[in-house]
C-alpha cells in the first residue's frame, strides 16, 4: 500500500488548530510542554477529530496502517466514510468521479452551477451522449448504485458565502476542484470569453483557498491543473512534475545554482491554460502562507467514456463533447470517423501530447485522495499514462474504425487555427503517480477507443453527432481571424501508415 506509512500528520482528521504556531514550527511546544507536562522530545501535538479519546498526541506516531479509521482498499488505505466534496460535479470528470467514489463507500457531496451546460449551449453545440438533469442523476445514483449525493447548486466564483456555508456544513476531508472552464478555444473566441474564463477560473479558485483557510485547513485540495501549463519547450528540457528535482542545476557563466524545489517555467498555449498557471501560483502561495495542503494535478488530454458506474444506466452517463470548443482530440476524432468526416489534424499533426483515459484518471484521483499531502505541502503530479503524436493517434483511431466497425475512415490535415509548435521534442516526466501512489494504468488506448466507438455508433448518438457536425471544423483562430479553416490535404489511412513507416525508417538511419 503506497500510503501505509503516512501518519496522522497527513490525515485530514487531525486537529492542529491552536496546537502549532506554523509561522515558526515548534514555537508553541514550550508552552504546551509546560501546560501539559509533556516530554522534552515532542515537536508537535495534535488531536484527532475522529478519535477524541486519543487526547493530545504526537501526530507522527500513528500510521495509516495502524489507525482503525483507515481501511485497506485497492487504491491504498482509504479513510472510512471519507467526506469528499466535488466542485464541478455536473461535468465530464466530476460526475464520473462522484459515482466512482460513491461506489467505493466515500461520502460524496458536490457543487455545480451548470455552467458547462450553459457554455456548450451558448456555442450552439450539445453533448452527443445525452445526459439527464441533476435531479434525475441523483435519483438514478441512489436507485441503481445506492449512492446518496449531497448536491448544492452554487456558483463558486460568485457565491462565496453560500459555498462557505456548504463547506462548513459538510466539513469535507478532501475537496476536488473541477469547477473551471476547461476549454482553450473557448478562451480565445474574443476579449469577453478570455476575461470570463480567467475570472471564473482564477478568482473561483482564489476564493476557495480563503474558505479552506478559514473552515477546513486540514482538508486536502485536489485541484485540476493541466500539462499544458508547461508548454512544449523547444530545448527539449524534460517537463518535470511542477518543480525542478533536487539535482537540477542552473549554470550561468562560471557559476552554478541549485534549482531544486523551484517551480519550473511555464509556457501556456492559450488564455485558458494561462488561467491554470495563475492558479498554480495562488495555490502554492496559500500552502506557504496558511499551511494548506494540495495536490495540483497536471492532467494530460483526457479521453473516453467508460467506467462501470456511468455505464450502469443511461441516466448515469457522463457528457461527451465533440465540438471545436469542448471536445478533446481523441473524442472528437472518433465522432468524426462515425459520421464520415476525415479526421482533423491541425497543421502538421506532429504535435505530441500526454493522454489519459477517463477510468485511469479516476484511479489516479482516488490514489491521491488516499494520500493527502502534509500540512503546507504543495504537491504536483503529472497525470498521464502515455504520450503520442496526433498522427499516431489518428492512425490508431482510423484503423479501429475501419477494421472493427467497417467505417471508410480518412485523415485530413487542416490549417492550424492555434498558435502552437507543430514539431517539437517532448519528454514529460510522469513518475509520481506510479512510483509514489501506486498507479498502474488499466486502460489501453485501443480498448478505450473501441469502447468509445461502440457507444457513439448507437443510432441516437450518431444522430446527435450529425446534428452538430457544423461545429466540428474549427472557426476559432488564435489570431482573431473569423473564418473556417481550410483543408490542406486528405489521405487514405493506408498512405498514412506507409508514411509513418517511412518516417520510422528514416529516423532509424
Ligand atoms: N487537435 C487536432 N485536431 C483536433 C483537435 C485538436 O489536431 O480536432 C490538436 C490541437 O491542436 C492540440 C492537441 O490536438 O495540439 C490537443 O488539443 P485538445 O483540444 O484535445 O486539447 P487542449 O486544447 O490542449 O485542452 C485539453 C482540455 C484541457 C486540458 C488539456 C490538457 O480541453 O482542459 O487542460 O487538454 S493538455 O493538452 O495536456 O494541456
Amino acid at each position: 500500500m503506497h500510503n501505509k506509512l503516512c501518519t496522522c500528520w497527513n490525515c485530514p482528521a487531525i486537529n492542529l488548530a491552536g496546537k502549532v504556531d506554523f509561522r515558526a514550527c515548534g514555537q508553541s511546544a514550550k508552552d504546551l510542554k509546560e501546560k501539559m507536562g509533556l516530554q522534552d522530545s515532542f515537536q508537535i501535538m495534535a488531536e484527532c477529530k475522529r478519535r477524541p479519546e486519543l487526547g493530545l498526541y504526537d501526530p507522527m506516531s500513528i500510521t495509516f496502517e495502524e489507525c482503525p479509521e483507515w481501511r485497506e482498499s485497492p487504491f491504498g488505505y482509504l479513510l472510512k466514510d471519507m467526506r469528499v466534496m466535488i466542485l464541478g460535479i455536473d461535468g465530464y470528470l466530476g460526475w464520473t468521479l462522484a459515482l466512482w467514489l460513491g461506489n467505493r463507500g466515500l461520502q460524496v457531496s458536490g457543487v455545480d452551477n451548470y455552467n458547462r451546460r450553459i457554455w456548450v449551449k451558448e456555442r450552439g453545440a450539445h453533448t452527443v451522449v445525452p445526459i439527464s438533469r441533476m435531479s434525475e442523476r441523483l435519483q438514478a445514483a441512489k436507485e441503481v448504485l445506492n449512492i446518496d449525493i449531497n448536491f448544492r447548486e452554487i456558483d463558486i466564483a460568485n457565491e462565496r458565502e453560500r459555498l462557505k456555508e456548504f463547506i462548513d456544513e459538510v466539513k469535507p476531508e478532501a475537496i476536488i476542484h473541477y469547477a473551471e472552464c476547461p476549454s482553450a478555444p473557448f478562451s480565445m473566441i474574443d476579449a469577453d470569453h478570455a476575461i470570463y474564463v480567467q475570472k471564473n477560473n482564477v478568482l473561483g479558485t482564489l476564493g476557495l483557498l480563503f474558505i479552506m483557510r478559514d473552515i477546513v485547513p486540514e482538508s486536502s485540495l485536489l485541484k485540476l491543473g493541466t500539462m499544458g501549463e508547461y508548454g512544449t519547450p523547444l530545448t527539449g528540457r524534460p517537463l518535470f512534475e511542477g518543480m525542478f528535482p533536487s539535482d537540477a542545476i542552473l549554470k550561468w557563466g562560471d557559476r552554478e545554482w541549485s534549482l531544486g524545489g523551484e517551480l519550473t517555467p511555464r509556457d501556456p498555449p492559450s488564455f485558458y491554460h494561462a488561467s491554470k498557471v495563475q492558479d498554480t501560483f495562488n495555490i502554492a502561495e496559500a500552502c506557504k502562507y496558511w499551511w494548506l495542503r494540495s495536490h495540483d494535478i497536471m492532467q494530460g488530454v483526457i479521453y473516453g467514456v467508460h467506467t462501470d458506474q456511468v455505464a450502469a444506466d443511461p441516466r448515469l452517463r457522463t457528457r461527451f463533447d465533440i465540438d471545436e470548443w469542448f471536445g478533446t482530440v481523441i473524442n472528437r476524432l472518433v465522432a468524426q470517423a462515425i459520421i464520415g468526416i476525415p479526421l482533423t489534424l491541425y497543421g502538421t499533426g506532429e504535435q505530441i501530447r500526454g493522454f489519459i483515459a477517463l477510468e485511469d484518471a479516476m484511479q489516479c484521483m482516488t490514489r491521491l485522495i488516499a494520500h493527502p499531502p502534509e500540512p503546507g505541502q504543495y504537491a504536483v503530479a503529472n497525470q498521464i499514462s502515455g504520450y503520442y503524436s496526433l498522427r499516431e493517434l489518428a492512425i490508431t483511431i482510423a484503423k479501429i474504425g475501419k477494421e472493427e466497425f467497417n467505417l471508410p475512415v480518412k485523415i485530413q490535415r487542416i490549417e492550424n487555427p492555434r498558435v502552437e509548435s507543430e514539431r517539437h521534442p517532448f519528454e514529460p516526466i510522469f513518475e509520481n503517480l506510479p512510483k509514489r501512489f501506486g498507479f498502474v494504468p488499466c486502460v489501453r488506448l485501443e480498448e478505450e477507443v473501441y469502447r468509445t466507438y461502440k457507444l457513439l455508433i448507437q443510432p441516437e448518438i450518431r444522430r446527435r453527432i450529425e446534428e452538430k457536425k457544423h461545429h466540428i471544423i474549427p472557426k476559432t483562430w488564435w489570431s482573431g481571424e473569423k473564418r473556417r479553416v481550410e483543408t490542406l490535404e486528405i489521405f487514405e489511412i493506408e498512405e498514412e501508415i506507409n508514411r509513418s513507416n517511412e518516417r520510422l525508417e528514416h529516423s532509424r538511419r
Side-chain angles (χ1 to χ4, degrees):
M1 295 273 162
H2 61 96
N3 57 351
K4 71 175 183 182
L5 295 180
C6 288
T7 65
C8 306
W9 189 233
N10 298 78
C11 179
I14 198 173
N15 183 7
L16 295 166
K19 309 296 185 301
V20 182
D21 183 341
F22 283 125
R23 286 161 302 175
C25 208
Q27 197 179 54
S28 63
K30 191 165 161 287
D31 290 350
L32 264 177
K33 195 182 116 192
E34 280 165 13
K35 274 194 220 137
M36 318 292 300
L38 294 163
Q39 301 302 310
D40 275 347
S41 56
F42 90 92
Q43 287 290 310
I44 295 162
M45 302 301 285
E47 283 167 303
C48 176
K49 292 179 216 163
R50 290 183 170 229
R51 299 168 70 200
E53 69 278 8
L54 291 175
L56 270 176
Y57 70 103
D58 173 358
M60 316 269 184
S61 63
I62 305 175
T63 62
F64 286 4
E65 195 179 17
E66 291 159 347
C67 176
E69 292 294 310
W70 287 83
R71 301 276 173 82
E72 276 187 55
S73 87
F75 308 99
Y77 285 90
L78 270 177
L79 193 54
K80 196 171 63 184
D81 302 322
M82 186 174 191
R83 297 185 301 276
V84 291
M85 183 179 283
I86 301 174
L87 310 180
I89 195 172
D90 189 45
Y92 175 54
L93 295 170
W95 181 245
T96 312
L97 188 67
L99 299 183
W100 173 277
L101 294 177
N103 200 45
R104 284 158 180 86
L106 286 83
Q107 300 300 308
V108 180
S109 57
V111 162
D112 211 294
N113 59 352
Y114 308 123
N115 257 348
R116 173 62 174 267
R117 297 185 191 225
I118 295 165
W119 301 323
V120 172
K121 199 165 169 201
E122 176 215 291
R123 302 320 298 157
H126 64 200
T127 161
V128 296
V129 173
I131 55 170
S132 310
R133 305 158 65 92
M134 182 53 86
S135 52
E136 260 182 82
R137 284 184 145 184
L138 298 174
Q139 204 184 334
K142 178 69 190 158
E143 258 172 53
V144 181
L145 302 171
N146 197 25
I147 299 171
D148 275 307
I149 297 172
N150 181 5
F151 173 75
R152 193 75 51 93
E153 184 181 339
I154 298 175
D155 176 338
I156 73 154
N158 295 304
E159 294 181 301
R160 227 168 45 244
E161 270 314 303
R162 293 193 59 227
L163 179 64
K164 193 169 177 173
E165 274 165 30
F166 192 44
I167 289 181
D168 200 18
E169 197 179 304
V170 174
K171 299 270 181 359
E173 291 160 310
I175 296 183
I176 295 102
H177 180 14
Y178 283 149
E180 293 201 341
C181 178
S183 166
F186 190 78
S187 75
M188 301 301 295
I189 292 172
D190 54 24
D192 285 343
H193 286 81
I195 291 165
Y196 171 80
V197 169
Q198 294 219 349
K199 252 180 153 168
N200 181 71
N201 293 1
V202 176
L203 303 186
T205 301
L206 188 58
L208 172 68
L209 292 169
F210 275 85
I211 295 173
M212 289 188 71
R213 177 195 73 171
D214 295 341
I215 315 262
V216 283
E218 287 93 14
S219 137
S220 61
L221 171 65
L222 288 92
K223 157 70 174 48
L224 193 68
T226 171
M227 284 297 289
E229 286 193 26
Y230 307 128
T232 51
L234 292 175
T235 57
R237 169 175 63 69
L239 305 179
F240 297 108
E241 305 198 66
M243 278 137 319
F244 282 110
S246 55
D247 52 353
I249 282 170
L250 172 68
K251 258 183 125 166
W252 188 52
D254 57 358
R255 292 188 291 163
E256 286 186 0
W257 297 264
S258 165
L259 283 172
E262 291 205 32
L263 290 178
T264 56
R266 313 280 143 151
D267 186 14
S270 73
F271 291 124
Y272 149 73
H273 288 94
S275 73
K276 297 275 186 188
V277 173
Q278 180 64 53
D279 287 340
T280 286
F281 284 99
N282 290 346
I283 298 167
E285 289 307 309
C287 290
K288 200 196 293 172
Y289 306 151
W290 308 323
W291 287 67
L292 296 187
R293 46 180 105 196
S294 177
H295 284 299
D296 204 346
I297 299 148
M298 303 301 169
Q299 187 171 268
V301 186
I302 184 97
Y303 67 96
V305 286
H306 184 81
T307 65
D308 286 346
Q309 297 77 44
V310 297
D313 187 287
R315 291 168 298 165
L316 294 177
R317 284 174 178 166
T318 195
R319 60 178 308 119
F320 194 90
D321 298 287
I322 52 117
D323 58 85
E324 64 158 309
W325 305 280
F326 289 95
T328 51
V329 62
I330 297 182
N331 294 355
R332 275 167 56 76
L333 299 192
V334 177
Q336 293 166 9
I338 299 248
I339 59 163
I341 294 183
L343 313 189
T344 54
L345 291 176
Y346 294 179
T348 63
E350 288 177 31
Q351 302 89 317
I352 306 171
R353 293 289 181 275
F355 291 85
I356 187 159
L358 186 61
E359 192 169 12
D360 278 341
M362 298 299 110
Q363 187 204 145
C364 290
M365 296 303 284
T366 317
R367 291 179 175 280
L368 294 171
I369 291 169
H371 199 136
E374 297 181 2
Q377 188 184 358
Y378 168 76
V380 182
N382 288 350
Q383 187 166 289
I384 62 175
S385 57
Y387 54 96
Y388 311 92
S389 79
L390 302 175
R391 271 177 189 257
E392 276 177 85
L393 282 176
I395 293 170
T396 305
I397 293 166
K399 267 170 88 171
I400 296 173
K402 220 166 186 155
E403 288 165 12
E404 305 287 338
F405 296 89
N406 209 17
L407 294 162
V409 191
K410 292 181 182 171
I411 298 174
Q412 61 178 323
R413 286 201 309 109
I414 57 179
E415 288 176 290
N416 192 345
R418 306 183 178 199
V419 176
E420 61 183 2
S421 306
E422 293 182 5
R423 278 195 192 92
H424 57 88
F426 195 67
E427 191 189 334
I429 306 294
F430 49 115
E431 293 178 348
N432 280 344
L433 274 159
K435 290 195 179 154
R436 295 188 45 221
F437 305 107
F439 168 55
V440 180
C442 291
V443 186
R444 283 177 41 249
L445 170 70
E446 292 78 4
E447 181 190 354
E448 192 60 20
V449 166
Y450 179 83
R451 289 200 286 217
T452 307
Y453 268 112
K454 276 283 248 203
L455 180 68
L456 299 198
I457 210 154
Q458 293 179 17
E460 188 201 357
I461 299 179
R462 192 183 189 137
R463 185 184 54 71
R464 286 175 67 87
I465 301 173
E466 284 280 358
E467 229 178 278
K468 298 294 175 187
K469 69 177 179 200
H470 52 291
H471 287 314
I472 286 180
I473 302 297
K475 310 172 267 298
T476 306
W477 288 78
W478 267 222
S479 63
E481 262 175 274
K482 299 261 179 281
R483 63 173 177 87
R484 268 165 67 104
V485 301
E486 300 287 341
T487 299
L488 302 172
E489 191 184 0
I490 297 191
F491 29 85
E492 306 286 338
I493 66 161
E494 284 72 18
E495 276 174 45
E496 182 58 8
I497 292 169
N498 292 340
R499 269 196 228 198
S500 91
N501 288 344
E502 268 169 35
R503 268 198 307 276
L504 219 66
E505 265 308 298
H506 187 71
S507 64
R508 282 205 195 102
R509 268 185 230 138

